[in-house]
Amino acid sequence: MAPPVQHPLVAIDCTRTYPANQYFACGETEVVASPLGAYRQAEARPLARFGYRFTLPHPGRPHLLRVWYPDDQRRFMLIMDGTGYDLSTGILTGGAQPLSGQLLESRQVFWPRWQDCSLVFTTWSTGEPAAVARFEICELEDLPALEIPGDPGDHTRRQLGIQYEDPCGTAASEGALSKEEWAERVTAYMRHSGQRLLVYPLVWYHGPQYPSEREPADAFDVVVAPDRRQYIRWTTKPPEWITPLLQRFGEQGLQFQASLTLLRLGSLMKQMNTDLQAIAGGAPTINNMLVDNQVQRGTSDWTPVYNARNYAQLLEYYAAEKDMGDFPWAYGEQGGQHPGPLFNPLHPVVQEAAVGLVEEIARRYAAYPAFTGICLNFWHATFLWFGSLRAGYDDYTCTLFSAQTGIEIPVDATAPDRFARRSDYLNRVCPQVWINWRCQQLHQLVCRLRDALVAARPDLTLTLTLWDETTVPQLLGWTTPGHQLGARPSTAQLYREGGLDLDLYRNEPGLALDLGMGNSRDRGGHPPASTDGTEAPLYTTAMYRDHDFLDQQTLDAVAAQAQPGAFLFNCWVEAWGHHRWFPCEPGDTQAAGLAQLSGQPAEGIFRINSEYPPDGFWWDSQLRITPAFPAGVHFMEPYAHALAELDACRLTRGGLFLDKAHTEELQRFARAFCALPRQRFHTVSNRTDPVALRQLLHEGRYYCYLVNREYYPVQVEVEFNRLGAEVCDLAEHHTFSAPWRWQLTLGPYELRAFTFPAHTWVHTFAALAPPAIIQALQAEVQQALADLEQAEARDHFIPGAATLRQGIERALSEGRLAWLRRALYSYPMRRCRQLLEAN
């Protein structure tokens, strides 16, 4: 499946010594002699690093980077070229994932931007040192498209894809200097890896990224030039780049879904009324009114800056070193409040703007078969919901509530403090009616958006993506003990309080729901970064993972959908140094050539850079931003979990730029997953742990899949309804005869997919983990139960511990080994041990 590896152009033994023109180090490094072999290790402090310089003769051609690193202790290593995103990835070892005790290999496809290249290995956090034994680089002839024999190519199979949160890194990644070059390489990699769906922002933080006829639009990107200097180029009149991409996708059997992060629209920003005195006096507003008698004046997060209309004046502020807190953001947006949606989602003006935008996108792109619909990103500040119970106490909403429910709110309708008093009454006296009513109203809005989409083409889908990493900390604050499993509400409850009741969407045609999960924020990136790593407080290391695996209320609500899915967010860590925006230098002839967006002149271009003290790196132009991924087989854990737990019909993954460091893992998964019909399957034997087996009678044949949730191999015995079965392996397109009781072994996190004739189906099955694993888990469980009992005896009240104890006892009796492993590493369990050790 992978392209043949050629003779390496570069082969570096990191344990050797190299001259200063080929090697640098920031901080001390050491060569460690270990049972795995020797390797070079950086200091275990943030941003300690070492790197190498070498020549690649053919920039722009696909290459393969192979890095061998030790999986022998906890590590958080960034890999990058030091300037752009072309080679950026990250590796996490240890923590929640058992160490393999082996030298592992990372393989990353990339397109060199320069002949004069570099590769840098960086320690992100305290106590988690970067370490590498050696690396090689070879040039690839091409990236052949992956064959998926079980996919008929009619778009009826399950979807595996790439999802971008951020559209501005296209010319800083994939060795590209333009959107067109980026699209060509992303397309090639999608076909090569088997990820045939691209979910990409058509509407970002401030509005359309295409030439909209109804909303103010903008576009910008970061471009890393051939001499490594970094620029931002921008326009308020974006070109039509989507149509050529849809045409290309249609020709190559790929699919595209438009992503909408609806935080602002220009038409709504122009109609804002944030004059609190006037609103208190009865003036109408489309902005949200809050529990503290305030009006939402801005999203109060990181997003206001990313509007091209700000950039000319921002350069002046940077040059004068003015306080950015005083910057006059576009349309008069202000901050300083609790993060949340700017606009009231029930107001007719807001709803008409949202529906009109969906109608416009559908009208522009529905004619292209590759266009599959729209994805709505639900964040803390998405204006299609209230976000929380902090918002929604304006005159319009409360009048409508009383009219429809018959519940009069006993508050003077002219009182200046009526908004807070309404909140007090509604959330104290009739909170469930208030929540239910808001959820029903927003369900009607979502259905209106769906109807506007499918009116253009009946087979289009509106997907709701429920983010956690961008949402939970903004609504609840940065992680504390109160954010943990058993302390805070479930994710489904949080969304319901904000106006999204997942149960209302179960049977809606044309609607799909994706649960955000799988991100690595527990391992780093919380402010302040100095608390990352082995010195991080326990409460910063557990919340996301615990809710991914143990928040059963949310998992069940998503699994009950007609077409459940999951979005695996490649959240990134970022170090900015002394970050500057500044005008292009006089005589910068390169800038004029770069000031193009899809063949259209940019309105502006300027320089950016993150400056650091000199440390031996050969260039002063630097970016230190990358996602990080669990090492080795553990990369596939969230895929296996989403499929086993949710019967996920669609899986997308991504973030800032394209992950190209897990090609072979994705290819193996794609050949099985993308051969399965995009329908809910039936669970066999009513168990899914540690292996889930599901089947479906479809078009005269039974389709069946088995997926292993765990990092160790599991033996499975499948019992058919009849003696002997003709089995077709969908991934290999190989047919063979299987006995009545058929035995097979599933590798770590492995998915297998098969078909049988209609008269043959799986009657039952059994899964057996290695005896050593079972014995170790049983011993851990007994110790955990004793610890929980001891903590209770010492009057330690640990939120969630009682529920966890019951769950552990039940899971042990039912043999749910995968759930047990996650529970034993959960925050309540680790907090229990921490308290006992302290006493």
Side-chain angles (χ1 to χ4, degrees):
M1 293 182 285
V5 176
Q6 309 295 322
H7 181 75
L9 300 172
V10 175
I12 299 290
D13 179 348
C14 297
T15 66
R16 292 180 53 194
T17 301
Y18 293 87
N21 64 338
Q22 298 178 41
Y23 170 82
F24 85 99
C26 173
E28 297 296 324
T29 68
E30 61 175 331
V31 175
V32 178
S34 81
L36 311 182
Y39 56 79
R40 183 171 298 277
Q41 180 168 279
E43 285 187 55
R45 63 171 177 82
L47 302 186
R49 60 182 189 157
F50 61 93
Y52 300 85
R53 187 174 184 176
F54 46 86
T55 299
L56 294 176
H58 300 129
R61 294 187 184 178
H63 287 63
L64 181 68
L65 167 66
R66 305 174 70 188
V67 176
W68 287 266
Y69 63 94
D71 183 25
D72 58 351
Q73 70 167 76
R74 181 165 164 157
R75 303 184 185 279
F76 194 146
M77 176 169 66
L78 313 184
I79 301 174
M80 57 186 66
D81 63 26
T83 299
Y85 299 145
D86 298 332
L87 269 166
S88 294
T89 189
I91 294 171
L92 301 164
T93 64
Q97 308 295 7
L99 297 167
S100 68
Q102 299 176 359
L103 202 65
L104 301 182
E105 180 187 354
S106 169
R107 293 186 169 205
Q108 182 175 188
V109 173
F110 73 105
W111 291 264
R113 191 174 295 266
W114 317 283
Q115 288 186 326
D116 190 1
C117 297
S118 55
L119 188 64
V120 182
F121 304 98
T122 303
T123 298
W124 173 254
S125 48
T126 302
E128 301 182 309
V132 181
R134 67 185 191 277
F135 70 88
E136 297 178 355
I137 297 175
C138 63
E139 186 175 318
L140 304 175
E141 292 184 5
D142 60 6
L143 295 178
L146 179 71
E147 292 185 8
I148 303 179
D151 183 359
D154 57 2
H155 301 317
T156 62
R157 294 315 191 242
R158 299 194 181 205
Q159 295 173 302
L160 183 67
I162 296 161
Q163 182 159 343
Y164 279 71
E165 185 277 313
D166 188 325
C168 63
T170 51
S173 59
E174 324 324 335
L177 291 173
S178 67
K179 197 88 164 188
E180 290 65 38
E181 202 168 27
W182 168 85
E184 178 184 348
R185 292 169 183 175
V186 168
T187 300
Y189 187 76
M190 289 175 66
R191 299 181 71 231
H192 177 60
S193 63
Q195 300 174 101
R196 295 180 173 177
L197 170 68
L198 176 64
V199 184
Y200 194 83
L202 257 60
V203 178
W204 202 40
Y205 299 163
H206 290 268
Q209 302 284 291
Y210 62 90
S212 174
E213 298 173 4
R214 59 174 294 121
E215 292 290 344
D218 78 319
F220 75 95
D221 66 359
V222 176
V223 56
V224 178
D227 65 357
R228 291 198 180 229
R229 285 187 288 179
Q230 302 168 57
Y231 299 80
I232 284 181
R233 53 194 176 188
W234 59 271
T235 182
T236 57
K237 299 177 180 179
E240 178 51 88
W241 60 273
I242 301 156
T243 296
L245 183 70
L246 291 173
Q247 291 171 335
R248 179 196 292 266
F249 274 30
E251 293 165 0
Q252 301 193 6
L254 303 177
Q255 295 179 293
F256 180 92
Q257 188 174 34
S259 169
L260 278 59
T261 304
L262 287 171
L263 310 186
R264 305 167 186 82
L265 289 176
S267 67
L268 297 178
M269 299 297 287
K270 293 175 182 178
Q271 298 180 69
M272 284 201 304
N273 176 11
T274 59
D275 184 336
L276 187 58
Q277 184 175 358
I279 297 169
T285 182
I286 62 173
N287 291 67
N288 270 317
M289 297 305 298
L290 308 178
V291 296
D292 55 1
N293 281 318
Q294 295 296 309
V295 58
Q296 193 80 37
R297 302 183 303 272
T299 57
S300 293
D301 54 25
W302 68 95
T303 63
V305 64
Y306 297 109
N307 187 335
R309 290 165 179 80
N310 292 318
Y311 290 166
Q313 194 166 0
L314 270 170
L315 282 179
E316 298 175 6
Y317 263 63
Y318 268 104
E321 298 184 352
K322 293 183 179 180
D323 183 359
M324 298 305 294
D326 298 327
F327 186 81
W329 301 113
Y331 302 110
E333 179 176 356
Q334 298 175 319
Q337 297 175 289
H338 192 283
L342 260 170
F343 303 115
N344 174 9
L346 300 191
H347 198 287
V349 170
V350 177
Q351 293 201 358
E352 291 309 313
V355 172
L357 185 71
V358 168
E359 288 175 339
E360 178 182 64
I361 292 171
R363 184 172 63 250
R364 291 180 72 96
Y365 304 117
Y368 297 93
F371 180 75
T372 65
I374 287 174
C375 166
L376 300 175
N377 293 320
F378 277 86
W379 286 18
H380 63 288
T382 300
F383 65 71
L384 299 178
W385 70 323
F386 288 105
S388 71
L389 287 168
R390 290 181 53 83
Y393 304 99
D394 58 281
D395 295 344
Y396 176 84
T397 299
C398 291
T399 299
L400 185 64
F401 170 79
S402 294
Q404 293 191 354
T405 64
I407 297 175
E408 294 295 332
I409 304 171
V411 173
D412 182 351
T414 64
D417 64 346
R418 61 188 178 275
F419 315 106
R421 291 167 61 191
R422 288 167 177 165
S423 168
D424 174 70
Y425 177 82
L426 292 167
N427 292 305
R428 178 171 49 84
V429 177
C430 51
Q432 291 309 311
V433 174
W434 174 235
I435 292 171
N436 290 344
W437 178 81
R438 299 199 323 171
C439 289
Q440 289 179 357
Q441 293 295 307
L442 292 176
H443 173 256
Q444 293 173 15
L445 170 60
V446 169
C447 289
R448 282 190 66 195
L449 297 172
R450 183 269 319 275
D451 293 345
L453 179 64
V454 301
R457 209 177 82 204
D459 65 330
L460 296 177
T461 299
L462 183 69
T463 303
L464 314 184
T465 301
L466 310 182
W467 288 64
D468 56 353
E469 196 272 347
T470 55
T471 303
V472 174
Q474 296 295 320
L475 294 180
L476 301 183
W478 292 107
T479 310
T480 70
H483 289 68
Q484 306 307 313
L485 183 77
R488 76 161 172 86
S490 72
T491 301
Q493 286 177 285
L494 283 179
Y495 269 93
R496 186 171 178 274
E497 289 177 2
L500 278 185
D501 185 337
L502 306 189
D503 290 343
L504 295 178
Y505 298 88
R506 282 188 183 183
N507 300 308
E508 285 290 351
L511 277 176
L513 195 150
D514 286 358
L515 179 64
M517 60 167 57
N519 75 80
S520 60
R521 186 59 73 214
D522 288 332
R523 286 294 296 268
H526 302 275
S530 59
T531 63
D532 286 348
T534 55
E535 296 183 2
L538 178 60
Y539 57 78
T540 68
T541 69
M543 183 191 71
Y544 293 101
R545 181 174 174 83
D546 282 357
H547 283 86
D548 280 354
F549 288 95
L550 304 174
D551 180 357
Q552 204 59 50
Q553 181 183 15
T554 300
L555 293 169
D556 289 346
V558 176
Q561 303 296 314
Q563 285 203 359
F567 165 52
L568 313 178
F569 181 38
N570 297 343
C571 70
W572 55 88
V573 293
E574 50 193 42
W576 289 99
H578 176 54
H579 188 67
R580 295 197 306 130
W581 292 15
F582 52 98
C584 299
E585 293 86 346
D588 184 352
T589 57
Q590 173 178 252
L594 293 173
Q596 300 282 326
L597 290 164
S598 298
Q600 177 178 300
E603 289 182 52
I605 186 169
F606 55 90
R607 290 284 315 283
I608 65 168
N609 195 21
S610 293
E611 299 171 348
Y612 295 88
D615 65 357
F617 187 62
W618 302 278
W619 298 273
D620 68 353
S621 181
Q622 300 190 52
L623 276 177
R624 301 185 188 180
I625 301 174
T626 188
F629 304 95
V633 298
H634 297 297
F635 171 78
M636 294 304 300
E637 181 188 33
Y639 290 89
H641 170 58
L643 184 54
E645 188 70 37
L646 307 177
D647 192 18
C649 294
R650 154 183 152 131
L651 291 168
T652 59
R653 186 166 196 158
L656 181 59
F657 48 79
L658 183 63
D659 166 38
K660 309 172 297 297
H662 302 93
T663 308
E664 293 177 43
E665 297 94 326
L666 289 167
Q667 288 175 328
R668 286 191 293 270
F669 187 82
R671 285 173 68 91
F673 184 77
C674 297
L676 298 170
R678 196 162 67 246
Q679 299 179 33
R680 292 295 306 273
F681 280 41
H682 306 293
T683 302
V684 175
S685 298
N686 198 33
R687 59 177 179 268
T688 64
D689 186 348
V691 169
L693 189 158
R694 294 189 176 97
Q695 61 187 354
L696 174 73
L697 183 62
H698 176 73
E699 295 182 348
R701 291 187 67 84
Y702 267 100
Y703 285 74
C704 168
Y705 73 80
L706 303 90
V707 60
N708 178 10
R709 291 177 182 256
E710 280 293 50
Y711 68 96
Y712 45 79
V714 176
Q715 293 182 347
V716 181
E717 182 176 87
V718 175
E719 182 179 307
F720 292 104
N721 67 315
R722 55 190 294 128
L723 294 176
E726 179 189 274
V727 178
C728 177
D729 186 317
L730 283 168
E732 303 300 328
H733 200 57
H734 168 63
T735 301
F736 57 94
S737 296
W740 172 46
R741 287 182 174 167
W742 172 41
Q743 294 185 345
L744 68 160
T745 299
L746 292 177
Y749 305 118
E750 185 179 14
L751 169 66
R752 301 283 302 276
F754 306 96
T755 63
F756 324 123
H759 55 70
T760 303
W761 60 86
V762 176
H763 173 64
T764 188
F765 82 102
L768 181 63
I773 294 288
I774 297 174
Q775 292 168 8
L777 274 173
Q778 288 174 335
E780 282 190 68
V781 164
Q782 295 307 318
Q783 183 62 56
L785 293 174
D787 289 345
L788 290 168
E789 184 175 352
Q790 187 177 4
E792 184 179 0
R794 296 184 185 182
D795 290 332
H796 292 306
F797 185 86
I798 303 169
T803 302
L804 184 71
R805 179 176 179 173
Q806 295 172 0
I808 288 174
E809 292 171 340
R810 187 166 57 252
L812 180 64
S813 67
E814 296 172 354
R816 291 189 286 119
L817 307 181
W819 189 93
L820 277 173
R821 180 165 71 89
R822 279 76 177 195
L824 292 170
Y825 193 77
S826 66
Y827 176 83
M829 195 66 249
R830 287 193 285 156
R831 177 59 175 160
C832 172
R833 298 190 195 105
Q834 187 182 60
L835 289 170
L836 294 179
E837 290 169 2
N839 293 337

